Amino acid sequence: MEDDAPVIYGLEFQARALTPQTAETDAIRFLVGTQSLRYDNQIHIIDFDDENNIINKNVLLHQVGEIWHISASPADKGVLATCYNKTSDGKVVTCAAVWRMPKELESGSHESPDDSSSNTQTLELLCHLDNTAHGNMACVMWEPMGDGKKIISLADNNILLWDLQESSTKAVLSSSSALEGKGQLRFTSGRWSPHHNCTQIATANDTTVRGWDTRSMRQIYSIENAHGQLVRDLDFNPNKQYYLASCGDDCKVKFWDTRNVTEPVKTLEEHSHWVWNVRYNHSHDQLILTGSSDSRVILSNMVSISSEPFGHMVDDDELSDQEEQHQEEKIFVYRPFRIKEPLQDSVIATYEEHEDSVYAVEWSSADPWLFASLSYDGRLVINRVPRALKYHILL
């Protein structure tokens, strides 16, 4: 029985890195990376059994350091990338590597692991993304819908495009670009667009958002002062090719049309502290998730700038017998579609299960109505879009 109540899982460590297992589209599965200075760090594989509303977990050791960012291959369930801290010559540096999880853990499962199998296992290192010449790694992005062979990493002021070769055991730097200018230039985050044949990325540094063409590695647009303070995160609308969301330390979430970047198309001001994360729903792009240092997760319904601004178009084939009968009684002129009353832009729900800064929010790659949020104290919360809204969107 589907239930709107949240499901909460507590890690023993602090954590800030979260990703859905992108290539897993059947089972609901998230990966969480820990941040501990005293103990070996871990990646928790979280399987959510939505029939019984319970979480099953497996733990992988990530002994190289505390995890700042984690991302999963879009093509291979077993492959992931992490950015992590390590100490080298007395200095802390942030590195990146590509890993493979043990074969038996690659696929999501509804089975609870036996006690014997719930022992921690180790990740297999596939390759390092060598950043000795480029600085500290901020994030690793996989080519969306790709074959898992192309990744981009952001390191200080450098954009690095890598080809993964020989079953991902070798990363070859195929091209790069550097952000030029005065002062300490450093990328904070980036996102690879699923549009334009995957030839564009967006990056954030300080208060600026920039677009880049991955073929020429040249800048294609720049949104100066996109936010009043540091830009924390970006996401592309999966269904509208020029639409980009950004969020930052000015407590705002902004939506941009990259063809005209003088003003945001829309601004949300619902959080009371830094906004760390913004995510579009993959299937219903009016649904926007944000997470903040105010310890709240907010689900907004941004219908006016979505790919279905007039609500869901319903084909006559989708009408129930009752609705058809209702239509016949009214003797309508036949129309192939009916358009529902549009919903207004609004906050749908505010989730307050966290007691610490929410550093990550992510939609499930298997269930479009389900999402996870992670706060720094190691609390992972799984929630669902309220049922009433789900049915309003679908019916």
Coordinates of all heavy atoms in Angstrom, one line a residue, residues 264-334:
P264 N 15.9 36.7 -14.8 CA 15.3 35.4 -14.6 C 13.8 35.3 -15.1 O 13.1 36.3 -15.0 CB 15.4 35.1 -13.1 CG 15.5 36.4 -12.5 CD 16.2 37.3 -13.5
V265 N 13.4 34.2 -15.6 CA 12.0 34.0 -16.0 C 11.1 34.0 -14.7 O 10.0 34.5 -14.7 CB 11.8 32.7 -16.7 CG1 10.4 32.5 -17.2 CG2 12.8 32.7 -17.9
K266 N 11.6 33.5 -13.6 CA 10.9 33.3 -12.4 C 11.9 33.2 -11.2 O 13.0 32.7 -11.4 CB 10.1 32.0 -12.5 CG 8.8 31.9 -11.8 CD 7.7 32.6 -12.5 CE 6.3 32.3 -11.9 NZ 5.3 33.1 -12.4
T267 N 11.5 33.7 -10.1 CA 12.3 33.6 -8.9 C 11.4 33.0 -7.7 O 10.3 33.4 -7.5 CB 12.9 34.9 -8.5 OG1 13.6 35.4 -9.5 CG2 13.8 34.8 -7.2
L268 N 12.0 32.1 -7.0 CA 11.4 31.5 -5.8 C 12.1 32.0 -4.6 O 13.3 32.0 -4.5 CB 11.4 30.0 -5.8 CG 10.4 29.2 -6.6 CD1 10.7 27.7 -6.5 CD2 9.0 29.4 -6.0
E269 N 11.4 32.5 -3.6 CA 12.0 33.0 -2.3 C 11.4 32.4 -1.1 O 10.8 33.1 -0.3 CB 12.0 34.5 -2.3 CG 12.6 35.2 -3.5 CD 12.6 36.7 -3.4 OE1 13.0 37.2 -2.3 OE2 12.3 37.4 -4.3
E270 N 11.4 31.1 -1.0 CA 10.7 30.4 0.0 C 11.7 29.9 1.2 O 11.2 29.6 2.3 CB 10.0 29.1 -0.5 CG 9.0 29.4 -1.6 CD 7.8 30.3 -1.0 OE1 7.5 30.2 0.2 OE2 7.2 31.0 -1.8
H271 N 13.0 29.8 0.9 CA 13.9 29.4 1.9 C 14.4 30.6 2.8 O 14.5 31.7 2.3 CB 15.1 28.6 1.3 CG 14.7 27.2 0.9 ND1 14.5 26.2 1.7 CD2 14.6 26.7 -0.4 CE1 14.2 25.1 1.0 NE2 14.2 25.4 -0.2
S272 N 14.8 30.3 4.0 CA 15.3 31.4 4.9 C 16.8 31.3 5.1 O 17.4 32.0 5.9 CB 14.6 31.3 6.2 OG 14.8 30.0 6.8
H273 N 17.5 30.4 4.4 CA 19.0 30.3 4.5 C 19.5 29.8 3.1 O 18.7 29.6 2.2 CB 19.4 29.4 5.6 CG 20.7 29.7 6.2 ND1 21.9 29.3 5.6 CD2 21.1 30.5 7.3 CE1 22.9 29.8 6.4 NE2 22.5 30.5 7.4
W274 N 20.8 29.5 3.0 CA 21.4 29.1 1.7 C 20.6 27.9 1.1 O 20.3 27.0 1.8 CB 22.8 28.7 2.0 CG 23.7 29.7 2.6 CD1 23.4 31.0 2.8 CD2 25.0 29.5 3.3 NE1 24.5 31.6 3.5 CE2 25.4 30.7 3.8 CE3 25.8 28.4 3.4 CZ2 26.6 30.9 4.4 CZ3 27.0 28.5 4.0 CH2 27.4 29.7 4.6
V275 N 20.5 28.0 -0.2 CA 19.8 26.9 -0.9 C 21.0 26.1 -1.6 O 21.7 26.6 -2.5 CB 18.8 27.4 -2.0 CG1 18.0 26.2 -2.6 CG2 17.8 28.4 -1.3
W276 N 21.1 24.9 -1.2 CA 22.2 24.0 -1.7 C 21.9 23.3 -2.9 O 22.9 22.8 -3.6 CB 22.6 23.0 -0.6 CG 23.4 23.7 0.5 CD1 22.9 24.3 1.6 CD2 24.9 23.7 0.6 NE1 24.0 24.8 2.4 CE2 25.2 24.4 1.8 CE3 25.9 23.3 -0.2 CZ2 26.5 24.7 2.2 CZ3 27.2 23.5 0.2 CH2 27.5 24.2 1.4
N277 N 20.7 23.0 -3.2 CA 20.3 22.0 -4.2 C 19.0 22.4 -4.9 O 18.1 22.8 -4.2 CB 20.1 20.7 -3.5 CG 21.0 19.6 -4.1 OD1 20.9 18.5 -3.7 ND2 21.9 19.9 -5.0
V278 N 19.0 22.2 -6.2 CA 17.7 22.4 -6.9 C 17.6 21.2 -8.0 O 18.6 20.9 -8.6 CB 17.6 23.8 -7.6 CG1 18.7 24.0 -8.6 CG2 16.2 23.9 -8.3
R279 N 16.5 20.6 -8.0 CA 16.3 19.5 -9.0 C 14.9 19.5 -9.6 O 13.9 19.5 -9.0 CB 16.4 18.1 -8.3 CG 17.9 17.8 -7.8 CD 18.8 17.4 -9.0 NE 20.1 17.2 -8.6 CZ 21.1 18.1 -8.6 NH1 20.8 19.4 -8.9 NH2 22.3 17.8 -8.2
Y280 N 14.9 19.4 -11.0 CA 13.7 19.2 -11.7 C 13.3 17.7 -11.7 O 14.2 16.8 -11.8 CB 14.0 19.5 -13.2 CG 13.9 21.0 -13.6 CD1 15.1 21.7 -13.8 CD2 12.7 21.6 -13.9 CE1 15.1 23.0 -14.2 CE2 12.7 22.9 -14.3 CZ 13.8 23.6 -14.5 OH 13.8 24.9 -14.9
N281 N 12.0 17.5 -11.6 CA 11.5 16.1 -11.8 C 11.7 15.7 -13.3 O 11.5 16.5 -14.2 CB 10.0 16.1 -11.4 CG 9.5 14.7 -11.5 OD1 9.3 14.1 -12.5 ND2 9.1 14.1 -10.3
H282 N 12.2 14.5 -13.5 CA 12.5 14.1 -14.9 C 11.3 13.9 -15.8 O 11.4 14.2 -17.0 CB 13.3 12.7 -14.8 CG 14.4 12.7 -13.8 ND1 15.4 13.5 -13.8 CD2 14.5 11.9 -12.7 CE1 16.2 13.3 -12.8 NE2 15.7 12.3 -12.1
S283 N 10.2 13.5 -15.2 CA 9.0 13.2 -16.0 C 8.0 14.4 -16.0 O 7.4 14.7 -17.0 CB 8.3 12.0 -15.5 OG 9.1 10.9 -15.4
H284 N 7.9 15.1 -14.9 CA 6.9 16.1 -14.7 C 7.7 17.4 -14.3 O 7.8 17.6 -13.1 CB 5.8 15.7 -13.7 CG 5.2 14.4 -14.0 ND1 4.3 14.2 -15.0 CD2 5.4 13.2 -13.5 CE1 3.9 13.0 -15.1 NE2 4.6 12.3 -14.2
D285 N 8.2 18.1 -15.3 CA 9.2 19.2 -14.9 C 8.6 20.4 -14.2 O 9.4 21.3 -13.9 CB 9.9 19.6 -16.2 CG 9.0 20.1 -17.3 OD1 8.7 21.3 -17.3 OD2 8.5 19.2 -18.1
Q286 N 7.3 20.4 -14.0 CA 6.8 21.5 -13.1 C 7.1 21.2 -11.6 O 7.1 22.2 -10.8 CB 5.3 21.7 -13.3 CG 4.4 20.6 -12.7 CD 4.0 19.6 -13.8 OE1 4.8 19.2 -14.6 NE2 2.7 19.2 -13.8
L287 N 7.5 20.0 -11.3 CA 7.8 19.7 -9.9 C 9.3 20.0 -9.6 O 10.2 19.4 -10.3 CB 7.5 18.2 -9.6 CG 6.1 17.8 -9.8 CD1 5.9 16.3 -9.6 CD2 5.1 18.5 -8.9
I288 N 9.6 20.9 -8.7 CA 10.9 21.3 -8.4 C 11.2 21.1 -6.9 O 10.4 21.5 -6.1 CB 11.1 22.9 -8.7 CG1 10.6 23.3 -10.1 CG2 12.5 23.3 -8.4 CD1 11.5 22.8 -11.2
L289 N 12.3 20.4 -6.7 CA 12.8 20.1 -5.3 C 13.9 21.1 -4.9 O 14.8 21.3 -5.8 CB 13.3 18.7 -5.2 CG 12.4 17.6 -4.9 CD1 13.3 16.3 -4.8 CD2 11.7 17.8 -3.6
T290 N 13.9 21.6 -3.7 CA 15.0 22.4 -3.2 C 15.4 22.0 -1.8 O 14.5 21.6 -1.0 CB 14.8 23.9 -3.3 OG1 13.5 24.2 -2.6 CG2 14.7 24.4 -4.7
G291 N 16.6 22.0 -1.5 CA 17.1 21.7 -0.1 C 18.0 22.9 0.4 O 18.7 23.5 -0.4
S292 N 17.9 23.1 1.7 CA 18.6 24.3 2.2 C 19.2 24.2 3.6 O 18.8 23.2 4.3 CB 17.5 25.5 2.2 OG 17.9 26.5 3.1
S293 N 20.0 25.1 4.0 CA 20.6 25.1 5.3 C 19.5 25.5 6.4 O 19.8 25.5 7.6 CB 21.7 26.1 5.4 OG 22.8 25.7 4.6
D294 N 18.3 25.9 5.9 CA 17.2 26.1 6.9 C 16.6 24.8 7.4 O 15.6 24.8 8.1 CB 16.2 27.1 6.3 CG 15.4 26.5 5.1 OD1 15.6 25.3 4.8 OD2 14.7 27.3 4.4
S295 N 17.2 23.7 7.0 CA 16.8 22.3 7.3 C 15.5 21.9 6.7 O 15.0 20.8 7.0 CB 16.6 22.2 8.9 OG 17.8 22.6 9.5
R296 N 15.1 22.6 5.7 CA 13.8 22.3 5.0 C 14.0 21.8 3.6 O 15.0 22.2 2.9 CB 12.9 23.4 5.0 CG 12.5 23.9 6.5 CD 11.4 24.9 6.5 NE 11.9 26.1 5.7 CZ 11.1 27.0 5.2 NH1 9.7 26.9 5.4 NH2 11.5 28.1 4.6
V297 N 13.1 20.9 3.1 CA 13.0 20.6 1.7 C 11.7 21.1 1.2 O 10.7 20.9 1.9 CB 13.0 19.0 1.6 CG1 12.8 18.6 0.1 CG2 14.4 18.5 2.1
I298 N 11.7 21.8 0.1 CA 10.5 22.4 -0.4 C 10.2 21.8 -1.8 O 11.1 21.7 -2.6 CB 10.6 23.9 -0.5 CG1 10.7 24.5 1.0 CG2 9.4 24.5 -1.2 CD1 10.8 26.0 1.1
L299 N 9.0 21.4 -2.0 CA 8.5 20.9 -3.3 C 7.6 22.0 -3.9 O 6.6 22.3 -3.2 CB 7.7 19.6 -3.1 CG 7.1 19.0 -4.4 CD1 8.1 18.6 -5.4 CD2 6.3 17.7 -4.0
S300 N 8.0 22.5 -5.0 CA 7.2 23.6 -5.7 C 6.6 23.1 -7.0 O 7.2 22.2 -7.6 CB 8.1 24.8 -5.9 OG 8.7 25.3 -4.7
N301 N 5.5 23.7 -7.4 CA 4.9 23.3 -8.6 C 5.0 24.6 -9.5 O 4.2 25.5 -9.4 CB 3.4 23.0 -8.3 CG 2.7 22.3 -9.4 OD1 3.4 21.8 -10.3 ND2 1.4 22.2 -9.4
M302 N 5.9 24.5 -10.4 CA 6.2 25.7 -11.3 C 5.6 25.5 -12.7 O 6.2 25.3 -13.7 CB 7.7 26.0 -11.4 CG 8.4 26.2 -10.1 SD 7.6 27.6 -9.2 CE 8.2 28.9 -10.2
V303 N 4.2 25.5 -12.7 CA 3.5 25.1 -13.9 C 3.7 26.1 -15.0 O 3.9 25.7 -16.2 CB 2.0 25.0 -13.6 CG1 1.2 24.6 -14.8 CG2 1.7 24.1 -12.5
S304 N 3.8 27.4 -14.7 CA 3.8 28.4 -15.8 C 5.0 28.3 -16.7 O 5.0 28.7 -17.8 CB 3.7 29.8 -15.1 OG 4.9 30.1 -14.4
I305 N 6.1 27.8 -16.1 CA 7.3 27.7 -17.0 C 7.7 26.2 -17.3 O 8.8 25.9 -17.7 CB 8.5 28.4 -16.2 CG1 8.7 27.8 -14.8 CG2 8.4 29.9 -16.2 CD1 10.0 28.3 -14.1
S306 N 6.7 25.4 -17.2 CA 6.9 23.9 -17.4 C 6.6 23.6 -18.9 O 6.1 24.4 -19.6 CB 6.1 23.1 -16.5 OG 4.7 23.1 -16.9
S307 N 6.8 22.3 -19.3 CA 6.6 21.9 -20.6 C 5.1 21.7 -20.8 O 4.6 21.5 -22.0 CB 7.4 20.7 -21.0 OG 7.1 19.6 -20.1
E308 N 4.3 21.7 -19.7 CA 2.8 21.5 -19.8 C 2.1 22.6 -19.0 O 1.5 22.4 -18.0 CB 2.4 20.2 -19.3 CG 2.8 19.0 -20.1 CD 2.2 17.7 -19.7 OE1 1.8 17.6 -18.5 OE2 2.2 16.7 -20.5
P309 N 2.3 23.9 -19.5 CA 1.8 25.0 -18.7 C 0.3 25.1 -18.6 O -0.3 25.8 -17.7 CB 2.3 26.3 -19.5 CG 2.5 25.8 -20.9 CD 2.9 24.3 -20.8
F310 N -0.4 24.3 -19.5 CA -1.9 24.3 -19.4 C -2.4 23.0 -18.7 O -3.6 22.7 -18.9 CB -2.5 24.4 -20.7 CG -2.1 25.7 -21.5 CD1 -1.2 25.6 -22.5 CD2 -2.5 26.9 -21.0 CE1 -0.8 26.8 -23.2 CE2 -2.1 28.1 -21.6 CZ -1.2 28.0 -22.7
G311 N -1.5 22.4 -18.0 CA -1.9 21.1 -17.4 C -1.7 20.0 -18.3 O -1.3 20.2 -19.5
H312 N -2.0 18.8 -17.9 CA -1.7 17.6 -18.7 C -2.8 17.5 -19.8 O -4.0 17.6 -19.6 CB -1.9 16.4 -17.7 CG -1.6 15.1 -18.4 ND1 -0.5 14.8 -19.0 CD2 -2.4 13.9 -18.4 CE1 -0.6 13.5 -19.5 NE2 -1.7 13.0 -19.1
M313 N -2.3 17.3 -21.0 CA -3.2 17.1 -22.2 C -3.7 15.6 -22.2 O -2.9 14.7 -22.2 CB -2.5 17.4 -23.5 CG -1.8 18.7 -23.5 SD -3.0 20.0 -24.1 CE -2.5 20.1 -25.8
V314 N -5.0 15.5 -22.1 CA -5.5 14.1 -22.0 C -6.1 13.7 -23.3 O -7.0 14.3 -23.8 CB -6.6 14.0 -20.9 CG1 -7.1 12.6 -20.7 CG2 -6.0 14.5 -19.6
D315 N -5.6 12.6 -23.9 CA -6.2 12.0 -25.1 C -7.5 11.4 -24.8 O -7.7 10.9 -23.7 CB -5.2 10.9 -25.6 CG -5.4 10.6 -27.0 OD1 -6.6 10.5 -27.4 OD2 -4.5 10.3 -27.7
D316 N -8.4 11.4 -25.7 CA -9.7 10.7 -25.5 C -9.6 9.3 -25.1 O -10.4 8.7 -24.4 CB -10.6 10.8 -26.7 CG -11.5 12.1 -26.6 OD1 -11.3 12.9 -25.7 OD2 -12.5 12.2 -27.4
D317 N -8.5 8.6 -25.6 CA -8.3 7.2 -25.2 C -8.1 7.0 -23.7 O -8.3 6.0 -23.2 CB -7.1 6.6 -25.9 CG -7.4 6.5 -27.4 OD1 -8.6 6.7 -27.8 OD2 -6.4 6.4 -28.2
E318 N -7.7 8.1 -23.1 CA -7.4 8.0 -21.6 C -8.7 8.2 -20.8 O -8.6 8.1 -19.6 CB -6.4 9.1 -21.2 CG -5.0 8.8 -21.7 CD -4.0 9.9 -21.2 OE1 -4.0 10.2 -20.0 OE2 -3.2 10.4 -22.1
L319 N -9.7 8.7 -21.4 CA -11.0 9.0 -20.7 C -11.6 7.7 -20.2 O -11.6 6.6 -20.9 CB -12.0 9.7 -21.5 CG -11.6 11.1 -22.0 CD1 -12.7 11.7 -22.9 CD2 -11.3 12.0 -20.8
S320 N -12.1 7.7 -19.0 CA -12.8 6.5 -18.5 C -14.2 6.5 -19.1 O -14.7 7.4 -19.7 CB -13.0 6.7 -16.9 OG -13.9 7.7 -16.7
D321 N -14.9 5.3 -19.0 CA -16.3 5.1 -19.5 C -17.2 6.2 -19.0 O -18.0 6.8 -19.7 CB -16.8 3.7 -19.2 CG -16.0 2.7 -19.9 OD1 -15.3 3.0 -20.9 OD2 -16.1 1.5 -19.5
Q322 N -17.1 6.4 -17.7 CA -17.9 7.4 -17.0 C -17.8 8.8 -17.6 O -18.8 9.5 -18.0 CB -17.6 7.4 -15.6 CG -18.7 7.9 -14.7 CD -18.3 7.8 -13.2 OE1 -17.2 7.3 -12.9 NE2 -19.1 8.2 -12.3
E323 N -16.5 9.2 -17.9 CA -16.2 10.5 -18.4 C -16.8 10.6 -19.9 O -17.3 11.6 -20.3 CB -14.7 10.8 -18.4 CG -14.2 11.1 -17.0 CD -12.7 11.2 -17.0 OE1 -12.0 10.3 -17.6 OE2 -12.2 12.2 -16.4
E324 N -16.6 9.5 -20.6 CA -17.1 9.5 -22.0 C -18.6 9.6 -22.1 O -19.1 10.4 -22.8 CB -16.7 8.1 -22.7 CG -15.3 8.2 -23.3 CD -15.0 6.9 -24.0 OE1 -15.9 6.1 -24.4 OE2 -13.8 6.7 -24.2
Q325 N -19.3 8.9 -21.1 CA -20.7 9.0 -21.1 C -21.1 10.4 -20.8 O -22.0 11.0 -21.4 CB -21.2 8.1 -20.0 CG -22.7 7.8 -20.0 CD -23.1 6.8 -18.9 OE1 -22.2 6.2 -18.3 NE2 -24.3 6.8 -18.5
H326 N -20.4 11.0 -19.8 CA -20.6 12.4 -19.4 C -20.5 13.3 -20.6 O -21.3 14.2 -20.8 CB -19.6 12.7 -18.3 CG -19.9 14.0 -17.5 ND1 -21.1 14.1 -16.9 CD2 -19.2 15.1 -17.3 CE1 -21.1 15.3 -16.3 NE2 -20.0 15.9 -16.5
Q327 N -19.5 13.1 -21.4 CA -19.3 13.9 -22.6 C -20.4 13.8 -23.6 O -20.9 14.7 -24.1 CB -17.9 13.5 -23.3 CG -16.7 14.1 -22.6 CD -15.6 14.3 -23.5 OE1 -15.4 13.4 -24.4 NE2 -14.8 15.3 -23.4
E328 N -20.8 12.5 -23.8 CA -21.9 12.3 -24.8 C -23.2 13.0 -24.4 O -23.9 13.5 -25.2 CB -22.1 10.8 -24.9 CG -21.0 10.1 -25.8 CD -21.0 8.6 -25.7 OE1 -22.0 8.0 -25.1 OE2 -20.0 8.0 -26.1
E329 N -23.5 12.9 -23.1 CA -24.7 13.6 -22.6 C -24.7 15.0 -23.0 O -25.7 15.6 -23.2 CB -24.8 13.4 -21.1 CG -25.3 12.0 -20.7 CD -25.0 11.8 -19.2 OE1 -24.7 12.7 -18.5 OE2 -25.1 10.6 -18.8
K330 N -23.5 15.7 -22.9 CA -23.4 17.1 -23.2 C -23.4 17.4 -24.7 O -23.5 18.6 -25.1 CB -22.2 17.7 -22.5 CG -22.3 17.8 -21.0 CD -21.1 18.5 -20.5 CE -21.2 18.7 -19.0 NZ -20.1 19.3 -18.4
I331 N -23.3 16.4 -25.5 CA -23.2 16.5 -27.0 C -22.2 17.6 -27.4 O -22.6 18.6 -27.9 CB -24.6 16.8 -27.6 CG1 -25.6 15.9 -27.0 CG2 -24.6 16.5 -29.1 CD1 -27.1 16.1 -27.4
F332 N -20.9 17.3 -27.0 CA -19.9 18.2 -27.4 C -19.6 18.1 -28.9 O -19.8 17.1 -29.5 CB -18.6 17.9 -26.7 CG -18.5 18.4 -25.3 CD1 -17.8 17.6 -24.3 CD2 -18.9 19.7 -25.0 CE1 -17.7 18.1 -23.1 CE2 -18.8 20.2 -23.7 CZ -18.2 19.4 -22.7
V333 N -19.0 19.2 -29.5 CA -18.3 19.1 -30.7 C -17.1 18.3 -30.4 O -16.4 18.5 -29.4 CB -18.0 20.4 -31.3 CG1 -17.2 20.3 -32.6 CG2 -19.2 21.3 -31.5
Y334 N -16.8 17.3 -31.2 CA -15.6 16.4 -30.9 C -14.3 17.1 -30.9 O -14.0 17.9 -31.8 CB -15.6 15.2 -32.0 CG -14.3 14.4 -31.8 CD1 -14.2 13.5 -30.8 CD2 -13.2 14.6 -32.7 CE1 -13.0 12.8 -30.6 CE2 -12.1 13.9 -32.5 CZ -12.0 13.0 -31.5 OH -10.8 12.2 -31.3

